[in-house]
Amino acid sequence: MGITRRLGSITGAAVLAALPLAPTAHAQQPVTLRVAIVQQVDSLNPFLATYQASTEIGRLMYDYLTAYDAADQRPVEAVAKSWEQSADDLTWTFTVPDGKKWSDGQPITAKDVAFTYNLMMTDKDAATANGSFVANFESVTAPDDRTVVIRTRVPQASMLALDVPIVPEHVWSQVGRIADYPNDVTPSVSSGPFILSEYRANEFIKLKANKDYWRGAPKYDELHFVYYKTVDAAVQALDKGELDLVNRMGPAQFDSLQGKDGITLNKAQGRRFNELVLNSGAATRTGEPIGDGHPALKDVKVRRAIAKAIDQDAIIARVNGGYAERGTGPIPPVFPDFHLTPEQVRPFDPAAANTELDQAGYPQGPDGTRVGADGKPLRFRLIGHTSRAYDEQAGEYIKGSLADLGIAVDVQLVADTLLDEQAVAGKFDLIFSGWGTNPDPDFILSLHTCAARPASTTTSGTTDSFFCDKTYDELYAQQGAELDPAKRSELVKRMQQRFYDEVPAIILGHDNALEAYRSDTFASFAVQPDPGGVIMAQNGVWGYYGAVPAAAAGSGSSGPSGLLIGGVVVVVLLVGGGAVLLARRRGASAGDRE
Amino acid sequence: MSAPPLAEASPRRRGGGVLRHVAGKLGGALTSLAAVVVLGFFLFRLIPGDPTVTMTRGRQVDEAQIAELRALHGYDLPIVEQFGRYVGDLLRGDMGTSLFYRRTVAELIGERVGPTLLLVGTSTLIAVTLGLWLGIRGAWRRDSPFDRASTGVALLGWAMPAFWLGMLLSMVTGDLFPSGGMRFSSTPPGFWPQALDVAHHMVLPCVTLIAVVYAQYQLVMRSSLLEEMNADYLTTARAKGLRDDQVRRRHAVPNALLPTVTLVFLHIGLVVTGAITVETVFSWPGLGLLTYEALAGPDLPLLQGTFVVLAGAVIVMNVLADLLYQVLDPRVRAS
């Protein structure tokens, strides 16, 4: 026993001798903002990164040519301070001011900008993530260190919304094959507010403040993105004080943090919407029908009646927990320049919908289910994702609403990949879908053009709804070439009005972005738009850059106590193991011989 | 026991027998591995969805780009030809490139093996020690309150789903242990702080893994010891005047250990797979989590890679168990 105790105290002393290091280190510990990432990071190479979490980290390291204002998202200075366009809108001249520096001290010049864009225009791999921005570029040149000249083939509306991280030529010209370059060298050569300082795949990504950032240094020292597999785990970590900032929460998770000490919630206008797509006639670009959609859905009167019979407010209240805004067109209210307020809001009116279907020639059969002129009963499949609680709950709700209309709905929840396959092949009647939107509306609008449909029955297009409408397409072409913001906004709204009237899909609601932070460690964050906007997943990095630590922020509090517990665990294991060994030896030493 | 005379049969013949035995086992293992490769390739091709669509999810791509990607990765080739390429690459040690991470599968698996081995290794070591000890104690004093209680507790753990137990433990222990990951990002560098932090993070996933697996070691150990307990050689040992715990340790346990050893090795292979749920619950950056991510894509090359590696681990452990059995048990060696 004496030996056991001595062994225990020796290991204990060894561990305790190591422990005092921790509190001293803690005393000098930098002020750190710890943020959860639940989404995977596909790459730190800004030419390859496509996932939101990855592009956000790219933005922290590399400024774009221009940025979006925190308050109202209008274009503001980033790498370029000023810009002008030629009379024919084909030539843009950007000025890169003197005095901005890469984090290794080299000046940021127009040559870096030209290098970045030219790389994307000549190297296919470099065009992986953001190639669409430069696809219409004819040439990019830097006649001197301060001037960038971009010539486009046709006028391009997104010239002040080029979401392309500008990289340092003196570093990236040494890179061999872009596709093979992970860009995880630390410290990174950054132009943005943060510098990559440590990367551990699937554990965490550490950045430190760029003290020489031209806008001014961030107000704290380090920014850590910590990887969590589930939002539940991240919420728990925030509650325990292991994290300072969490987003992408569901209504239940958000509500669970309500009223907790030291935690502040942020309910923000979001960029994502949920929709119910109606198969209005899946076909290829040449009009050859594909899939097996129900013929009655080709009739716009049926689609309108369905839209009228679904109570969107009730779905938002019951399924979204109230954390969503009513949908009209695909573009959410967070982008007021393009969001549609319909001329005439479609009322929730099941009685009127019933009457309209009666008049349109869909009488009720003996079992109460309506029947079309072809004798086919109105029995629709509604396909949703097994992985999404929203689809299950909203599906049941829609099933109930349409039953009142004399339409039978069979809700089928399937795996995401199977759903994608069925959607692409047009094998559905009703299907749940959803998208995140950008400040520039072009992409989200393009999903409903005739050209987005598949080229042949064996290929897949980018279409969301198989919608093909001449009026919509004409407006789409016009808005793409319209450089006057007011006129473009008008065209975009007319497109959405057409979408709203023709009902290729019903926008069920624009989700709120639900975020929470530890207000005992960080006093405030910059939101975008301000007020009412998000901290994370902004169109910029104002949220991280503008974070203000609380006066007595004791960040990293879990470190030392964690070390202590870890030490105790090690001591227990060592002492336990030692005791067993000693006990055995004692037994053996007293052993009788056979 | 007829073991001694057989074991003494011509040494040369015995040596040849061992070689043949080893060769036979290795051949069997290679056949299984080949089956795994074939199954892995075709099984995951049954998952609906186009890998190129997975690859480009969330990106603005046109059809020409998709067609090009399909050609680049060979997804436009007939499936037999794709399989041929895959096997060729695999033989050269190339498991392909992950569609999502755009890094080689070998590299991704390599960086995740360490954490998994640490977690699974530690928990298996503790679970085996605990299981064997409880099994021996229980069998030696069969039907004692200790035996009944420990068997009951073990079965309770065995019956619990790992993910559920993990979440429960995490909730019950409150602020005592971290909610996930392998270390805090803010832990100072240096061996001691890092090691202690990892130990701290390992407690809950380890306890969960131990709780759900140790029962099988305990029960097998218990029942095989019970079988030995009435054997004549134990009476002989007692008659020689050995103390009770020496009879147990020197005579009964070594004989009863044989089936347990096989089980332990089989399960080291399987536990790697079993860690998928625990790694997911605790965001432990290991192979299990990688498999989960690959499946969520689905990221075909990564999925095939992890499948081959995990199944390969089971096969290798099987062979090791077979070979070790030979060393431990003269009866197997002789036959």
Side-chain angles (χ1 to χ4, degrees), chain A residues 29 40 48 50-51 124 128 200-203 206 224 227 229 236-237 240 242 285 417 420-421 443 455 460 462 562-563 565-566 569 584 591-592 594, chain B residues 48-49 57 59-61 63 68 100 102 111-112 170 174-179 183 185-186 192-193 196 200 203 240 246 249 251 283 289 292-293 298:
Chain A
Q29 216 173 37
Q40 294 164 12
L48 305 178
T50 52
Y51 272 42
K124 225 173 208 141
T128 305
R200 279 187 187 269
N202 284 289
E203 285 192 65
K206 287 192 194 181
H224 296 177
Y227 185 83
K229 190 59 228 168
Q236 210 173 37
K240 289 184 183 181
E242 295 166 16
R285 222 171 280 171
T417 46
D420 288 347
E421 198 171 77
F443 177 69
S460 56
T462 54
L563 292 186
I565 296 173
V569 169
R584 284 191 68 99
D592 321 29
E594 286 180 53
Chain B
R57 191 173 290 162
R59 247 161 67 195
Q60 308 182 9
V61 283
E63 259 169 68
E68 201 173 299
F100 177 76
R102 297 190 197 86
E111 103 195 341
R112 304 293 192 96
S170 176
D175 290 352
L176 221 46
F177 300 105
S179 42
R183 71 192 100 199
S185 58
S186 50
W192 274 108
L196 294 183
H200 185 205
V203 174
K240 282 197 285 183
Q246 283 180 320
R249 198 182 319 133
H251 294 272
S283 305
L289 195 57
Y292 174 86
E293 288 163 5

Coordinates of all heavy atoms in Angstrom, one line a residue, chain A residues 29 40 48 50-51 124 128 200-203 206 224 227 229 236-237 240 242 285 417 420-421 443 455 460 462 562-563 565-566 569 584 591-592 594, chain B residues 48-49 57 59-61 63 68 100 102 111-112 170 174-179 183 185-186 192-193 196 200 203 240 246 249 251 283 289 292-293 298:
Chain A
Q29 N -3.1 35.1 -22.1 CA -3.9 34.5 -23.2 C -4.5 35.6 -24.0 O -5.1 36.5 -23.4 CB -4.9 33.5 -22.7 CG -5.0 32.4 -23.7 CD -6.0 31.3 -23.2 OE1 -6.9 31.6 -22.5 NE2 -5.6 30.1 -23.4
Q40 N -19.0 21.8 -43.3 CA -17.6 21.4 -43.6 C -16.9 22.6 -44.4 O -17.5 23.4 -45.0 CB -17.6 20.2 -44.5 CG -18.1 19.0 -43.7 CD -18.5 17.8 -44.6 OE1 -18.1 17.8 -45.8 NE2 -19.1 16.9 -44.1
L48 N -10.8 27.4 -55.2 CA -11.5 26.2 -55.2 C -12.7 26.1 -54.2 O -13.7 25.4 -54.4 CB -10.6 25.0 -54.8 CG -9.3 24.8 -55.6 CD1 -8.5 23.7 -55.0 CD2 -9.6 24.6 -57.0
T50 N -16.0 26.5 -52.3 CA -17.4 26.9 -52.7 C -18.3 26.9 -51.6 O -19.3 27.6 -51.6 CB -17.9 25.9 -53.8 OG1 -17.8 24.6 -53.3 CG2 -17.2 26.1 -55.1
Y51 N -18.0 26.2 -50.5 CA -19.0 26.2 -49.4 C -19.0 27.5 -48.6 O -17.9 28.2 -48.6 CB -18.7 25.0 -48.4 CG -19.4 23.7 -48.9 CD1 -19.4 23.4 -50.2 CD2 -20.0 22.9 -47.9 CE1 -20.1 22.2 -50.6 CE2 -20.7 21.8 -48.3 CZ -20.7 21.4 -49.7 OH -21.3 20.3 -50.0
K124 N -8.1 26.8 -65.9 CA -9.4 26.2 -65.7 C -9.6 25.9 -64.2 O -10.7 26.1 -63.6 CB -9.5 24.9 -66.5 CG -10.8 24.8 -67.1 CD -10.9 23.6 -68.0 CE -11.9 24.0 -69.1 NZ -11.7 23.6 -70.4
T128 N -12.6 27.3 -60.9 CA -13.5 26.3 -60.3 C -14.6 27.0 -59.5 O -15.8 26.7 -59.7 CB -12.8 25.3 -59.4 OG1 -11.7 24.8 -60.1 CG2 -13.7 24.3 -58.8
R200 N -6.1 22.9 -38.5 CA -6.2 21.5 -38.2 C -7.5 21.0 -38.8 O -8.6 21.3 -38.2 CB -6.2 21.2 -36.6 CG -4.8 21.3 -36.0 CD -4.9 20.8 -34.6 NE -3.6 21.0 -34.0 CZ -2.7 20.1 -33.9 NH1 -2.9 18.9 -34.5 NH2 -1.5 20.3 -33.3
A201 N -7.4 20.2 -39.9 CA -8.5 19.8 -40.6 C -9.6 19.2 -39.7 O -9.2 18.3 -38.9 CB -8.1 18.8 -41.7
N202 N -10.8 19.6 -39.7 CA -11.9 19.1 -38.9 C -11.7 19.2 -37.4 O -12.4 18.6 -36.7 CB -12.1 17.7 -39.3 CG -12.9 17.6 -40.6 OD1 -14.0 18.0 -40.7 ND2 -12.2 17.3 -41.7
E203 N -10.8 20.0 -37.0 CA -10.8 20.4 -35.5 C -11.0 21.9 -35.4 O -12.0 22.3 -34.9 CB -9.4 20.0 -34.9 CG -9.3 18.5 -34.7 CD -8.1 18.2 -33.8 OE1 -8.1 18.6 -32.7 OE2 -7.1 17.6 -34.4
K206 N -7.5 28.5 -36.9 CA -7.1 29.7 -36.1 C -6.6 30.8 -37.0 O -5.8 30.6 -37.9 CB -6.0 29.4 -35.1 CG -6.4 28.5 -34.0 CD -5.3 28.5 -33.0 CE -5.4 27.5 -31.9 NZ -4.2 27.6 -31.0
H224 N -11.0 32.0 -33.7 CA -11.0 30.6 -33.9 C -12.3 30.1 -34.4 O -13.3 30.4 -33.9 CB -10.7 29.9 -32.6 CG -9.4 30.2 -32.0 ND1 -8.9 29.7 -30.8 CD2 -8.4 31.0 -32.4 CE1 -7.7 30.2 -30.5 NE2 -7.4 31.0 -31.5
Y227 N -14.8 23.3 -35.1 CA -15.7 22.4 -35.9 C -16.6 21.6 -35.0 O -16.1 21.0 -34.1 CB -14.7 21.5 -36.7 CG -15.4 20.6 -37.7 CD1 -15.8 21.1 -38.9 CD2 -15.7 19.3 -37.3 CE1 -16.4 20.2 -39.8 CE2 -16.3 18.4 -38.2 CZ -16.6 18.9 -39.5 OH -17.2 18.0 -40.3
K229 N -19.9 18.7 -35.3 CA -20.6 17.9 -36.3 C -22.1 18.3 -36.4 O -22.7 18.2 -37.4 CB -20.4 16.5 -36.0 CG -20.9 15.5 -37.1 CD -20.2 15.8 -38.4 CE -21.1 15.8 -39.5 NZ -20.5 16.4 -40.8
Q236 N -24.8 23.4 -27.3 CA -24.4 22.9 -26.0 C -23.1 23.6 -25.6 O -22.9 24.0 -24.4 CB -24.3 21.4 -26.0 CG -24.6 20.8 -24.7 CD -24.6 19.3 -24.8 OE1 -23.8 18.7 -25.5 NE2 -25.5 18.6 -24.1
A237 N -22.2 23.6 -26.5 CA -20.8 24.2 -26.3 C -21.0 25.7 -25.9 O -20.3 26.2 -25.1 CB -19.9 24.0 -27.5
K240 N -22.1 26.0 -22.4 CA -21.1 25.7 -21.5 C -20.0 26.7 -21.4 O -19.1 26.7 -20.7 CB -20.5 24.3 -21.8 CG -21.3 23.2 -21.5 CD -20.6 21.9 -21.8 CE -21.5 20.6 -21.6 NZ -20.7 19.4 -21.9
E242 N -17.8 27.2 -24.0 CA -16.7 26.8 -24.8 C -16.6 27.6 -26.1 O -15.6 27.5 -26.9 CB -16.8 25.3 -25.1 CG -16.7 24.4 -23.9 CD -17.1 23.0 -24.2 OE1 -17.2 22.6 -25.4 OE2 -17.4 22.2 -23.3
R285 N -35.3 21.4 -73.0 CA -35.2 22.7 -73.6 C -36.0 22.8 -74.9 O -36.5 23.8 -75.3 CB -33.7 23.0 -73.9 CG -33.3 24.4 -73.5 CD -31.8 24.5 -73.6 NE -31.2 24.0 -72.4 CZ -29.9 23.8 -72.3 NH1 -29.1 24.1 -73.3 NH2 -29.3 23.3 -71.2
T417 N -30.3 12.4 -51.9 CA -29.8 12.1 -53.3 C -30.9 11.6 -54.2 O -30.9 11.9 -55.4 CB -28.7 11.0 -53.2 OG1 -29.1 10.0 -52.3 CG2 -27.4 11.6 -52.6
D420 N -33.0 14.5 -55.2 CA -32.3 15.3 -56.3 C -32.6 14.5 -57.6 O -32.9 15.2 -58.6 CB -30.8 15.3 -56.1 CG -30.4 16.3 -54.9 OD1 -31.3 17.1 -54.5 OD2 -29.3 16.3 -54.5
E421 N -32.4 13.2 -57.6 CA -32.6 12.4 -58.8 C -34.0 12.6 -59.4 O -34.2 12.8 -60.6 CB -32.2 11.0 -58.6 CG -31.9 10.2 -59.8 CD -31.4 8.8 -59.5 OE1 -32.2 7.9 -59.1 OE2 -30.1 8.6 -59.6
F443 N -28.7 34.8 -60.5 CA -28.7 33.3 -60.5 C -30.0 32.7 -60.0 O -30.5 31.8 -60.6 CB -27.6 32.9 -59.5 CG -27.5 31.4 -59.4 CD1 -27.2 30.6 -60.5 CD2 -27.9 30.8 -58.2 CE1 -27.1 29.2 -60.3 CE2 -27.9 29.4 -58.1 CZ -27.5 28.6 -59.2
A455 N -30.9 19.9 -71.7 CA -30.8 19.9 -73.1 C -31.4 18.7 -73.8 O -31.9 18.8 -74.9 CB -29.3 20.0 -73.5
S460 N -29.0 16.6 -67.3 CA -29.7 17.3 -66.3 C -29.4 18.8 -66.4 O -28.3 19.2 -66.7 CB -29.3 16.8 -64.9 OG -27.9 16.9 -64.7
T462 N -30.1 23.0 -64.9 CA -30.0 23.6 -63.5 C -31.4 24.1 -63.1 O -31.5 24.7 -62.0 CB -29.1 24.8 -63.6 OG1 -29.6 25.7 -64.6 CG2 -27.7 24.4 -63.9
G562 N -10.2 22.8 -17.7 CA -10.2 21.6 -18.5 C -8.9 20.8 -18.3 O -8.9 19.6 -18.1
L563 N -7.8 21.6 -18.3 CA -6.5 20.9 -18.1 C -6.4 20.2 -16.7 O -5.9 19.1 -16.6 CB -5.4 22.0 -18.1 CG -5.1 22.6 -19.5 CD1 -3.9 23.5 -19.5 CD2 -5.0 21.5 -20.6
I565 N -9.0 19.0 -15.1 CA -9.8 17.8 -15.1 C -9.0 16.7 -15.9 O -8.9 15.5 -15.5 CB -11.1 18.0 -15.7 CG1 -11.9 19.0 -14.8 CG2 -11.9 16.7 -15.9 CD1 -13.2 19.4 -15.3
G566 N -8.4 17.1 -17.0 CA -7.6 16.2 -17.8 C -6.5 15.6 -17.0 O -6.2 14.4 -17.0
V569 N -7.8 13.0 -14.6 CA -8.1 11.8 -15.4 C -6.9 11.0 -15.5 O -6.8 9.8 -15.2 CB -8.8 12.1 -16.7 CG1 -8.8 10.8 -17.6 CG2 -10.2 12.7 -16.6
R584 N -0.6 -7.1 -8.2 CA -0.2 -8.4 -8.8 C 1.2 -8.8 -8.3 O 1.5 -9.9 -8.0 CB -0.2 -8.2 -10.3 CG -1.6 -8.2 -10.9 CD -1.5 -8.3 -12.4 NE -1.0 -9.7 -12.7 CZ -1.8 -10.7 -13.1 NH1 -3.1 -10.5 -13.2 NH2 -1.4 -11.9 -13.3
G591 N 4.3 -15.7 -3.8 CA 3.9 -16.9 -4.4 C 4.5 -18.2 -3.9 O 5.7 -18.3 -3.6
D592 N 3.7 -19.2 -3.7 CA 4.2 -20.5 -3.3 C 4.6 -21.2 -4.6 O 4.1 -20.9 -5.7 CB 3.1 -21.3 -2.7 CG 2.2 -20.5 -1.8 OD1 2.0 -19.3 -2.0 OD2 1.7 -21.1 -0.9
E594 N 5.0 -24.4 -7.2 CA 4.3 -25.6 -7.4 C 5.2 -26.8 -7.3 O 6.4 -26.7 -7.7 CB 3.7 -25.6 -8.8 CG 2.5 -24.7 -9.0 CD 2.0 -24.7 -10.4 OE1 1.7 -25.8 -10.9 OE2 1.8 -23.6 -10.9
Chain B
P48 N -28.6 6.4 -55.2 CA -29.1 7.3 -56.3 C -28.3 8.6 -56.3 O -27.7 9.0 -55.3 CB -30.5 7.4 -56.0 CG -30.7 7.2 -54.5 CD -29.6 6.2 -54.2
G49 N -28.3 9.3 -57.4 CA -27.7 10.6 -57.5 C -26.4 10.5 -58.3 O -25.8 9.5 -58.4
R57 N -22.6 20.8 -56.2 CA -23.8 21.3 -55.4 C -23.4 22.7 -54.8 O -22.4 23.0 -54.3 CB -24.1 20.4 -54.2 CG -25.4 20.7 -53.5 CD -25.7 19.6 -52.5 NE -26.0 18.4 -53.2 CZ -26.0 17.2 -52.6 NH1 -25.6 17.1 -51.3 NH2 -26.3 16.1 -53.2
R59 N -23.0 25.4 -56.5 CA -22.2 26.2 -57.4 C -22.9 26.5 -58.7 O -23.8 25.7 -59.1 CB -20.9 25.4 -57.7 CG -19.7 26.0 -57.2 CD -18.6 25.0 -57.1 NE -18.2 24.6 -58.4 CZ -17.4 23.5 -58.7 NH1 -17.1 22.8 -57.7 NH2 -17.0 23.3 -59.9
Q60 N -22.6 27.6 -59.3 CA -23.2 27.9 -60.6 C -22.4 27.3 -61.7 O -21.4 27.8 -62.1 CB -23.3 29.4 -60.7 CG -23.9 30.1 -59.5 CD -23.9 31.6 -59.7 OE1 -23.7 32.2 -60.7 NE2 -24.3 32.3 -58.6
V61 N -23.0 26.2 -62.2 CA -22.2 25.5 -63.3 C -23.2 25.3 -64.5 O -24.4 25.2 -64.3 CB -21.7 24.1 -62.9 CG1 -20.5 24.2 -62.0 CG2 -22.8 23.3 -62.1
E63 N -24.1 23.0 -68.2 CA -24.0 21.6 -68.5 C -22.7 21.2 -69.1 O -22.2 20.1 -68.9 CB -25.1 21.3 -69.6 CG -26.3 20.7 -69.0 CD -27.4 20.7 -70.0 OE1 -27.3 20.0 -71.0 OE2 -28.4 21.5 -69.8
E68 N -17.9 17.9 -68.6 CA -16.4 17.8 -68.6 C -15.9 17.1 -67.3 O -15.0 16.3 -67.3 CB -15.9 19.3 -68.6 CG -14.5 19.4 -69.0 CD -14.2 20.9 -69.2 OE1 -14.8 21.6 -70.0 OE2 -13.3 21.4 -68.4
F100 N -15.4 16.1 -52.5 CA -15.7 17.2 -51.7 C -14.4 18.0 -51.3 O -14.3 19.2 -51.5 CB -16.4 16.8 -50.5 CG -16.7 17.9 -49.5 CD1 -17.7 18.8 -49.8 CD2 -16.0 18.1 -48.4 CE1 -18.0 19.9 -49.0 CE2 -16.2 19.2 -47.5 CZ -17.2 20.0 -47.8
R102 N -11.4 17.6 -52.5 CA -10.4 17.7 -53.6 C -9.0 17.4 -53.1 O -8.0 18.0 -53.5 CB -10.4 19.1 -54.2 CG -11.7 19.4 -54.8 CD -11.7 20.7 -55.7 NE -13.1 21.1 -55.9 CZ -13.7 21.9 -55.0 NH1 -13.1 22.3 -53.9 NH2 -15.0 22.2 -55.3
E111 N -4.8 11.2 -42.1 CA -4.9 12.2 -41.1 C -5.9 11.9 -40.0 O -5.9 12.5 -38.9 CB -5.0 13.6 -41.7 CG -6.3 14.4 -41.7 CD -6.3 15.5 -42.7 OE1 -5.2 16.0 -43.1 OE2 -7.4 16.0 -43.0
R112 N -6.9 11.0 -40.3 CA -7.9 10.7 -39.4 C -7.6 9.4 -38.6 O -8.3 9.1 -37.6 CB -9.3 10.5 -40.1 CG -9.7 11.7 -40.9 CD -10.1 12.8 -40.0 NE -10.8 13.8 -40.8 CZ -12.1 13.9 -40.9 NH1 -12.9 13.1 -40.2 NH2 -12.7 14.8 -41.6
S170 N -23.2 13.5 -21.9 CA -22.8 14.8 -22.1 C -23.7 15.8 -21.3 O -23.3 16.8 -20.8 CB -22.9 15.1 -23.6 OG -22.6 16.5 -23.8
G174 N -22.8 17.9 -17.3 CA -22.8 19.4 -17.3 C -21.5 20.0 -17.8 O -21.0 19.6 -18.9
D175 N -20.9 20.9 -17.0 CA -19.7 21.6 -17.4 C -18.4 20.9 -17.2 O -17.3 21.4 -17.5 CB -19.6 23.0 -16.7 CG -20.7 23.9 -17.2 OD1 -21.4 23.5 -18.1 OD2 -20.9 25.0 -16.5
L176 N -18.5 19.6 -16.7 CA -17.3 18.9 -16.3 C -16.4 18.5 -17.5 O -15.2 18.6 -17.4 CB -17.7 17.7 -15.5 CG -16.9 17.3 -14.3 CD1 -16.7 18.5 -13.4 CD2 -17.7 16.2 -13.6
F177 N -17.1 18.2 -18.6 CA -16.3 17.7 -19.8 C -16.8 18.5 -21.0 O -17.9 18.9 -21.1 CB -16.6 16.2 -20.0 CG -16.1 15.4 -18.8 CD1 -17.0 14.8 -18.0 CD2 -14.8 15.2 -18.6 CE1 -16.6 14.0 -16.9 CE2 -14.3 14.4 -17.5 CZ -15.3 13.8 -16.7
P178 N -15.9 18.6 -22.0 CA -16.2 19.4 -23.2 C -17.3 18.7 -24.0 O -17.4 17.5 -23.9 CB -14.9 19.4 -24.0 CG -13.9 18.9 -23.1 CD -14.5 18.1 -22.0
S179 N -18.0 19.5 -24.7 CA -19.1 18.9 -25.5 C -18.7 18.2 -26.8 O -19.5 17.5 -27.4 CB -20.2 19.9 -25.8 OG -19.6 21.1 -26.2
R183 N -9.6 18.8 -28.8 CA -8.9 19.7 -27.9 C -9.5 21.1 -28.1 O -10.2 21.3 -29.1 CB -7.4 19.7 -28.3 CG -7.1 20.4 -29.6 CD -5.7 20.1 -30.1 NE -5.7 19.0 -31.0 CZ -4.7 18.3 -31.4 NH1 -3.5 18.5 -30.8 NH2 -4.7 17.4 -32.3
S185 N -9.3 25.0 -29.0 CA -8.4 25.7 -29.9 C -7.5 26.7 -29.1 O -6.4 27.0 -29.5 CB -9.2 26.5 -30.9 OG -10.1 27.4 -30.2
S186 N -8.0 27.0 -27.8 CA -7.2 28.0 -27.1 C -6.2 27.4 -26.1 O -5.5 28.1 -25.4 CB -8.2 28.8 -26.2 OG -9.1 28.0 -25.5
W192 N 2.5 18.9 -22.4 CA 1.6 18.6 -21.3 C 0.2 19.2 -21.4 O -0.8 18.5 -21.3 CB 2.3 19.1 -20.0 CG 3.1 18.0 -19.4 CD1 4.5 17.9 -19.4 CD2 2.7 16.7 -18.9 NE1 4.9 16.7 -18.8 CE2 3.8 16.0 -18.5 CE3 1.4 16.1 -18.7 CZ2 3.8 14.7 -18.0 CZ3 1.4 14.9 -18.1 CH2 2.5 14.2 -17.8
P193 N 0.1 20.6 -21.7 CA -1.2 21.1 -21.8 C -2.0 20.4 -22.9 O -3.2 20.1 -22.7 CB -0.9 22.6 -22.2 CG 0.4 22.8 -21.8 CD 1.2 21.6 -21.8
L196 N -3.0 16.8 -21.8 CA -4.1 16.8 -20.7 C -5.4 17.2 -21.3 O -6.4 16.7 -21.0 CB -3.7 17.8 -19.6 CG -2.5 17.3 -18.8 CD1 -2.2 18.3 -17.7 CD2 -2.7 15.9 -18.2
H200 N -8.8 15.1 -21.4 CA -10.0 15.7 -20.9 C -11.2 15.5 -21.9 O -12.3 15.1 -21.6 CB -9.8 17.2 -20.6 CG -11.0 17.9 -20.0 ND1 -11.2 19.2 -20.2 CD2 -12.0 17.4 -19.3 CE1 -12.3 19.5 -19.5 NE2 -12.8 18.5 -19.0
V203 N -12.6 11.7 -22.3 CA -13.3 11.0 -21.2 C -14.7 10.5 -21.7 O -15.0 9.3 -21.6 CB -13.4 11.9 -20.0 CG1 -14.3 11.2 -18.9 CG2 -12.0 12.2 -19.4
K240 N -2.2 -29.8 -5.0 CA -0.8 -29.5 -4.8 C -0.6 -28.5 -3.7 O 0.5 -28.1 -3.4 CB -0.2 -29.0 -6.1 CG 0.1 -30.1 -7.1 CD 1.0 -29.7 -8.2 CE 0.3 -28.8 -9.2 NZ 1.2 -28.4 -10.3
Q246 N -4.2 -18.4 -6.9 CA -3.1 -18.9 -7.8 C -3.7 -20.0 -8.8 O -3.3 -20.0 -10.0 CB -2.0 -19.5 -7.0 CG -1.1 -18.4 -6.4 CD 0.0 -19.0 -5.7 OE1 -0.2 -20.0 -4.9 NE2 1.2 -18.4 -5.8
R249 N -5.4 -17.9 -11.4 CA -4.5 -17.1 -12.3 C -3.6 -18.0 -13.1 O -3.4 -17.7 -14.3 CB -3.7 -16.1 -11.4 CG -3.2 -15.0 -12.3 CD -2.3 -14.0 -11.5 NE -2.8 -13.8 -10.2 CZ -2.1 -13.8 -9.0 NH1 -0.8 -14.1 -9.1 NH2 -2.7 -13.5 -7.9
H251 N -3.8 -21.4 -13.7 CA -4.4 -22.6 -14.4 C -5.7 -22.3 -15.1 O -5.8 -22.6 -16.3 CB -4.5 -23.8 -13.4 CG -3.2 -24.2 -12.9 ND1 -2.5 -25.2 -13.5 CD2 -2.5 -23.8 -11.8 CE1 -1.3 -25.4 -12.9 NE2 -1.3 -24.5 -11.8
S283 N -18.1 14.9 -32.1 CA -17.3 15.6 -33.1 C -15.9 15.2 -33.0 O -15.0 16.1 -33.2 CB -17.4 17.2 -33.0 OG -18.8 17.6 -33.0
L289 N -16.1 9.6 -38.3 CA -16.7 10.9 -38.7 C -16.5 11.1 -40.2 O -17.4 11.6 -40.9 CB -16.1 12.0 -37.9 CG -16.8 13.4 -37.9 CD1 -18.2 13.2 -37.5 CD2 -16.1 14.4 -37.0
Y292 N -19.0 9.1 -42.1 CA -20.3 9.7 -42.0 C -20.4 10.9 -43.0 O -21.4 11.0 -43.7 CB -20.5 10.2 -40.6 CG -21.7 11.1 -40.3 CD1 -22.9 10.4 -40.0 CD2 -21.7 12.5 -40.4 CE1 -24.1 11.2 -39.8 CE2 -22.8 13.2 -40.2 CZ -24.0 12.6 -39.9 OH -25.1 13.3 -39.7
E293 N -19.3 11.7 -43.1 CA -19.3 12.8 -44.0 C -19.4 12.3 -45.5 O -20.0 12.8 -46.3 CB -18.1 13.6 -43.8 CG -18.1 14.5 -42.6 CD -16.7 15.0 -42.2 OE1 -15.7 14.7 -43.0 OE2 -16.6 15.6 -41.1
P298 N -23.3 11.9 -51.3 CA -22.2 11.0 -51.1 C -21.0 11.3 -51.9 O -21.1 11.6 -53.0 CB -22.8 9.6 -51.5 CG -23.8 10.0 -52.6 CD -24.3 11.4 -52.3

